[in-house]
Structures are given as structure tokens and as C-alpha cells.
Amino acid sequence: ITVTAQQAAQALGTVRLPRAVVANGDPLPAGTYTLRLSSDPVTAVSGQGPDAAKWVEFVQGGQVKGKELASVVAPADVKVVAKRTPPADGHPLVQMLRGADYLRVWVGHGGSQYLIHLSLSSATK
């Protein structure tokens, strides 16, 4: 008999979202959240490896308030993808992207970089 334990969620850091956003189609209010990797499976996209994307949960008061897919950039690829020095592990960086339609949360964990793109809530545009 093989018993498989569900992987515990891994904390990535704490982030403050300055504006309301949409995460996975659901509203996520402005506020402070703990980011953590989810153990929820991600269906791999053709041509990408199985670890190219991971679900990241936004946790507040011990409850998951939202989640969004994060693009995972492996340590060997960071210099190719990033135009600036990536944030240190556990210290998320929040950036408003050009056109002010998206908010990017960028966080390092275990050498990899997690890029989460959130659209602004239509009520805050």
C-alpha cells in the first residue's frame, strides 16, 4: 500500500496590494496578504515543463481570499527574463505595469522567481 501525503503549502512572504485586483476571475480587495504556494495541481501547457506555473494563494486572517497562477522562472533563466535584480527570497515586489491595467507581484523562493499578474478591478481603474 502506498500512502501519499499532500504537500504542505509553502509561505512565500507578505505582500501589500495597494489596489483591488482580480485573481483567477474573483475580486481581491486591496490589503496585506501572506503569499503561499498551493498544492493544487496545474495543467501543464504544451511545450512547457510541469513546474512552469504554480498556484499562489493570497491568505488573510488564516483564510484563502484568492489565488492566481504564477509563472515560475528557474534560477538558470532569471538573468535572461529579468531586466532588474530579482527580489530577495520572501520579500515580494509589487509593480504597476505599463498602461496601469495590471499589477505584478514578483517574489523569490528557493532560487526560483514567481511572477503573478493580476488585472485591476474595474472599480479601481
Side-chain angles (χ1 to χ4, degrees), residues 37-63:
L37 284 177
S38 171
S39 59
D40 291 350
V42 175
T43 302
V45 175
S46 179
Q48 291 185 341
D51 294 323
K54 298 283 183 189
W55 285 108
V56 173
E57 298 171 332
F58 290 77
V59 181
Q60 197 175 57
Q63 294 184 333

